[in-house]
Amino acid sequence: MLKSIAGRSVVVTGASKGIGKGIARVFAEKGCKVLIVGRNYDDAQRAALEICERGGTAMAFAADVSDQRAVREMAVAACKYHGGIDILCANAGVYPMARLGEMTLSDWEGVLRTNLTGTYLSVDACLPELKRTGRGRIIIISSISGPVTAISGLSHYCASKAGQLGFLRAAALELASAGVTVNAILPGNIATEGVDGLGPEYISQMTAAIPLGRLGSVEDIAHAALFLASDEAAYITGQTITVDGGQLLPESKMAMG
Ligand code: NAP
């Protein structure tokens, strides 16, 4: 049983849908005050309302994580609504398919700008508040795709997700003296609106490749985030937790057993 983190202020980027929404809900259920961030304000507001209707504390804020000014305003809003920032979940990310040869520079830069630069900008904006607490937590949602595996058509995405881990290690080192930990979760295939958009063929192929026999749930990721945000995880920094239902284990299809 982890010590309570009730009352802590959490910023979750990309929290109007999918994994981020699940993280926001689970932290709110633990009594945290959550800022739901996404580009579309109505979606963010809907997600915040769902939390409030269940008795939680959440506010919505519209920001594109690739826009430095908007992300700085996001940090200001978290302080205004919730009195500071204890935990940042840098989750916002996109994964549009584009094969080499067809991918444009703008496709490449768009994905890098949201997934990698957006992570840096979110950390940068929240940093003064995270340091102020003396026990700030940064949790980056990376992926197995890029750091460990790859998917055809997602070279820009894989580069961004691997890049997040290089950033995480240097950031963990720099921020250790301020008591701020920086860790990442590497999800496998998680059932979200974004993954639904990849189509039924993708989902059935992926399910067949997962030893635990199902796509992950957003709660599977949220519970790992909860642990990394806990007081009990205070001595863990610069690390990654893979949450993939065993997807990385088999050497081949035959090895699935
Ligand atoms: P999703 O269902 O498509 O939701 C993405 C969320 O991010 C939405 O709330 C979206 O809201 C927001 N968002 C997108 N671009 C943004 C931007 N530039 N600024 C602010 N918010 C932005 O995605 P997901 O599947 O939950 O994925 C979330 C994260 O998990 C991503 O970083 C992804 O790489 C990672 N991940 C997912 C899986 C998986 O299987 N689902 C596996 C590995 C890693 P708006 O559109 O309103 O901005």
Side-chain angles (χ1 to χ4, degrees), residues 13-21 37-41 43-44 63-66 90-95 113-115 141-145 157 161 164 185-195 202 215 218:
T13 66
S16 57
K17 293 183 202 140
I19 291 175
K21 187 174 176 184
V37 183
R39 289 165 300 179
N40 182 306
Y41 180 76
D43 289 346
D64 182 332
V65 294
S66 68
N91 163 79
V94 289
Y95 35 90
R113 182 98 197 149
T114 295
N115 297 5
I141 308 302
S142 175
S143 178
I144 57 171
S145 306
Y157 176 80
K161 292 287 148 179
Q164 283 180 314
I185 297 170
L186 275 53
N189 278 272
I190 310 301
T192 65
E193 289 89 333
V195 165
Y202 176 91
L215 262 60
V218 295

Side-chain angles (χ1 to χ4, degrees), residues 95-101 103-104 107-108 111-112 115 145-146 149-163:
Y95 35 90
M97 290 280 175
R99 293 183 73 87
L100 292 172
M103 185 191 296
T104 63
D107 294 333
W108 171 270
V111 169
L112 269 287
N115 297 5
S145 306
T149 60
I151 300 179
S152 290
L154 285 178
S155 60
H156 46 1
Y157 176 80
C158 290
S160 72
K161 292 287 148 179

Side-chain angles (χ1 to χ4, degrees), residues 10-102:
V10 189
V11 173
V12 186
T13 66
S16 57
K17 293 183 202 140
I19 291 175
K21 187 174 176 184
I23 291 174
R25 189 173 59 239
V26 166
F27 275 82
E29 281 165 3
K30 297 294 176 192
C32 293
K33 300 173 281 187
V34 184
L35 190 70
I36 308 270
V37 183
R39 289 165 300 179
N40 182 306
Y41 180 76
D42 291 346
D43 289 346
Q45 174 70 354
R46 239 189 317 276
L49 273 178
E50 280 176 31
I51 288 176
C52 295
E53 280 164 11
R54 292 165 175 228
T57 304
M59 294 293 285
F61 190 81
D64 182 332
V65 294
S66 68
D67 175 344
Q68 186 167 40
R69 201 173 61 179
V71 174
R72 286 185 173 160
E73 284 167 4
M74 167 191 90
V76 170
C79 295
K80 184 172 131 201
Y81 297 141
H82 297 146
I85 304 169
D86 299 288
I87 301 158
L88 165 67
C89 293
N91 163 79
V94 289
Y95 35 90
M97 290 280 175
R99 293 183 73 87
L100 292 172
E102 292 156 10

